[in-house]
Amino acid sequence: MYRIINGRYPVVMGMVLNAPLLTTGAKTGKPRLVHVVYFHDGTDPIVVASYGGEPKNPQWYYNLKAHPECQFGGEDFIATEITDPDEYARLYALAERVYSGFRDYRVMMAATGGRRIPVFRLSRR
């Protein structure tokens, strides 16, 4: 589906789209493939390391931190974690519009004093 629609529309037929993210293992250095929910901010894909609202980050988060070079949807990118509070708030609000589960995860983390759910911008290499 991702390739058919050129990754441009985050929701099709009531489904949240995801695309393949190929990272390099933080510890192993081996390729790791996971499908992640995404949306675009301009031409840049944005991915959220929600891990279903779990109290820890998904493994791909650590992979991107150790090796920001990745492939997304078969194209080469560099991942940058969003750390600016205003930019983070803006992008996370957009993420919540794409998938309402992100709102639930944020509320769960706030209620437990848990982690801030990481957001990454993927820029073309």
Side-chain angles (χ1 to χ4, degrees), residues 55-73:
K56 60 183 182 175
N57 290 318
Q59 188 57 49
W60 63 263
Y61 166 82
Y62 301 103
N63 295 349
L64 287 181
K65 293 296 285 182
H67 306 283
E69 302 84 8
C70 62
Q71 283 190 354
F72 182 72

Side-chain angles (χ1 to χ4, degrees), residues 2-3 19-21 71-75 77:
Y2 176 86
R3 288 188 178 159
L21 175 66
Q71 283 190 354
F72 182 72
E75 298 180 38
F77 287 90

Side-chain angles (χ1 to χ4, degrees), residues 28-108:
T28 66
K30 294 181 179 178
R32 301 293 184 212
L33 182 66
V34 64
H35 285 258
V36 294
V37 173
Y38 72 94
F39 62 96
H40 281 90
D41 183 45
T43 59
D44 295 337
I46 306 296
V47 295
V48 180
S50 66
Y51 204 37
E54 292 295 319
K56 60 183 182 175
N57 290 318
Q59 188 57 49
W60 63 263
Y61 166 82
Y62 301 103
N63 295 349
L64 287 181
K65 293 296 285 182
H67 306 283
E69 302 84 8
C70 62
Q71 283 190 354
F72 182 72
E75 298 180 38
D76 293 333
F77 287 90
I78 300 289
T80 305
E81 185 173 2
I82 303 301
T83 56
D84 176 75
D86 293 334
E87 182 70 353
Y88 178 87
R90 182 181 76 79
L91 290 173
Y92 205 90
L94 289 174
E96 290 176 347
R97 291 176 61 193
V98 170
Y99 175 59
S100 63
F102 289 141
R103 183 177 309 110
D104 299 336
Y105 305 154
R106 181 180 47 81
V107 169
M108 286 169 38

